[in-house]
Amino acid sequence: MQSFCYFLSLSLLFLLSWLQHSNADVEHLDTMHPQLDGCDFFQGSWVVDDSYPLYDSSTCPFIKQEFDCQKNGRPDKLYLKYRWQPNACTLPRFNGKDFLKRFKGKKIMFVGDSLSENQWESLICMVHAAIPQSQFSKTYKRDLITITWTDYGLSITLCHNVFLVDLVNKKNVGRVLKIDSIKGGKLWKGQDTLIFNTWHWWTHNGSLQPWEYIEIGGKLIKDMDRLAAFKRGLSTWSKWVELNVNPARTNVFYQGVSPVHNFGQEWSEKSATCQGQTKPVKGSTYPMALPPAVGAVKEVLRKMTKPVTLLDITLLSQLRKDGHPSIYAGGVKSHDCSHWCLAGVPDTWNHLLYAFVSRR
């Protein structure tokens, strides 16, 4: 009898332990594939909505020249009228006043490259549209630009850091990408919400490559497989999150991988680029596969124990071949199929960010 009770106790303990781990796995999967009432936000299509855009770019004082396509002479406006519609639900409409109520007294920081800047400018335009008469300040400090609405105690900061890991100048060596180091992470502490992004700069070669050497495992090398380097750098970032983020204080998001539209064969339009595109790809699928970086991001996030919500914006953005500045980026020789017009696609990235915040 005693042996039976002992066996039963061990079985119950094992079952409880399994349930705890199982629940933790479910919570982690929810951040990897967030849903609302069983709805996948990231599977859907673009529909025309005459109430869009969410703000008038001509009245937003924060948009840099490269993203202000209307000011730069883009003649068409239909691209401004598209709303993302998930297949199985409708996203809660962005409510600037509700956003301000939720984030009163809070600090939000975007960390990454110019795609993070795209999303940062979009969000501060969306907030500004809700309170156009409210006073704000703009401050610069090292790699940080912060917009603060003093009436609400809300600050939204951009931290320019294209790799997330450290890029340093070493005497007698040159520029070194330290793939295992994140000393720059000290700038990210004390925030209530962090939104990270990196990828595009990992692919740059030639004159656009910003390093002479990569330092990995304590050794200097001239180059390595870029996807492997990206994944290693992202793993270093994940360790920083595990060590430095308290989920009870700080919500962490990863922006996802923003696509480019340089080659029309991707959407069955040979010799085309994003130039002259005025409508999205129809439907809910894109002819080409997802960029390989998407798989690397998901693999790294899957191994983390701290919750990081993935804004899985790749597919919905792939469908928007019409959303780039193209020749309307403000430069004489510019042809930008990488960044996005504002107002435009990044507003939807922030709409999704708001949807996740509003369900908590």
Side-chain angles (χ1 to χ4, degrees), residues 55 147 149 163:
Y55 56 89
I147 306 297
W149 283 271
F163 296 108

Side-chain angles (χ1 to χ4, degrees), residues 98-294:
D98 179 66
F99 183 90
L100 285 160
K101 181 179 177 181
R102 292 176 184 277
F103 282 94
K104 188 173 184 178
K106 303 294 186 180
K107 297 178 180 179
I108 302 170
M109 178 180 282
F110 291 86
V111 185
D113 56 24
S114 52
L115 276 308
S116 289
E117 184 178 16
N118 236 175
Q119 189 177 2
W120 172 72
E121 288 189 9
S122 162
L123 183 59
I124 56 181
C125 284
M126 290 163 76
V127 171
H128 179 265
I131 46 171
Q133 305 304 320
S134 185
Q135 295 295 311
F136 63 87
S137 64
K138 188 174 186 179
T139 58
Y140 299 83
K141 184 180 180 181
R142 294 178 60 185
D143 295 319
L144 307 178
I145 309 174
T146 301
I147 306 297
T148 302
W149 283 271
T150 52
D151 292 343
Y152 295 86
L154 167 64
S155 67
I156 306 180
T157 298
L158 173 69
C159 177
H160 185 72
N161 186 323
V162 300
F163 296 108
L164 301 184
V165 295
D166 296 332
L167 180 65
V168 301
N169 279 299
K170 280 194 172 184
K171 190 175 181 180
N172 301 322
V173 175
R175 298 168 299 175
V176 177
L177 182 62
K178 302 185 70 172
I179 214 165
D180 298 323
S181 172
I182 298 191
K183 290 183 180 178
K186 60 181 178 289
L187 297 175
W188 313 338
K189 294 181 178 181
Q191 301 294 316
D192 298 287
T193 300
L194 288 164
I195 305 101
F196 291 97
N197 158 65
T198 183
W199 167 239
H200 282 214
W201 278 84
W202 293 87
T203 66
H204 288 180
N205 292 296
S207 61
L208 293 177
Q209 179 180 303
W211 74 79
E212 278 76 48
Y213 291 92
I214 294 174
E215 184 178 301
I216 182 170
K219 296 180 180 179
L220 291 177
I221 58 175
K222 286 295 290 183
D223 209 346
M224 64 183 289
D225 178 84
R226 297 304 179 83
L227 185 61
F230 168 69
K231 187 175 176 182
R232 176 76 172 239
L234 205 59
S235 296
T236 301
W237 163 82
S238 74
K239 293 173 185 175
W240 183 93
V241 172
E242 301 280 21
L243 289 171
N244 293 281
V245 170
N246 176 5
R249 161 73 197 275
T250 303
N251 292 318
V252 181
F253 293 84
Y254 192 86
Q255 186 196 64
V257 177
S258 178
V260 298
H261 289 94
N262 289 316
F263 305 105
Q265 58 263 36
E266 287 190 4
W267 59 90
S268 306
E269 194 177 339
K270 290 182 180 180
S271 73
T273 67
C274 71
Q275 184 177 342
Q277 302 294 329
T278 59
K279 295 180 180 180
V281 174
K282 290 183 179 180
S284 302
T285 58
Y286 190 70
M288 287 290 290
L290 295 171
V294 174

